[in-house]
């Protein structure tokens, strides 16, 4: 598992925090840590949960993964 801090644009409130948290929690190979407005700390299996897949999931919820 790889420790990864995601920077996420478009999050403004606790609703956003929960949306991101729930979406990431559904992803195979992802263990969700602390999620705050603008960022999420996760542990991920890089072979299963690629950054591209995570970016797509975040985009599904209406937010943008920034690098
Ligand atoms: Cu919100």
């Amino acid at each position: 598992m790889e420790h990864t801090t995601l920077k996420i644009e478009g999050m403004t409130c606790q609703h956003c925090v929960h949306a991101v948290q729930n979406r990431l929690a559904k992803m195979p190979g992802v263990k969700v840590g602390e999620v705050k407005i603008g960022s999420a700390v996760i542990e991920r299996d890089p072979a299963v949960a690629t950054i591209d897949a995570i970016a797509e999931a975040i985009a599904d919820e209406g937010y943008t993964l920034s690098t």
Side-chain angles (χ1 to χ4, degrees):
M1 296 295 264
E2 192 173 290
H3 193 80
T4 307
T5 300
L6 306 169
K7 289 199 173 136
I8 304 167
E9 286 168 14
M11 295 172 74
T12 55
C13 67
Q14 283 307 308
H15 165 82
C16 302
V17 170
H18 287 132
V20 167
Q21 206 162 31
N22 292 340
R23 188 62 184 83
L24 290 173
K26 280 185 206 154
M27 295 193 71
V30 173
K31 208 175 156 205
V32 186
E34 190 185 12
V35 181
K36 297 187 292 193
I37 292 168
S39 70
V41 175
I42 61 170
E43 298 284 332
R44 69 185 177 97
D45 178 344
V48 180
T50 61
I51 290 294
D52 279 356
I54 292 168
E56 225 167 273
I58 295 291
D60 274 352
E61 296 297 327
Y63 309 110
T64 308
L65 191 66
S66 75
T67 44

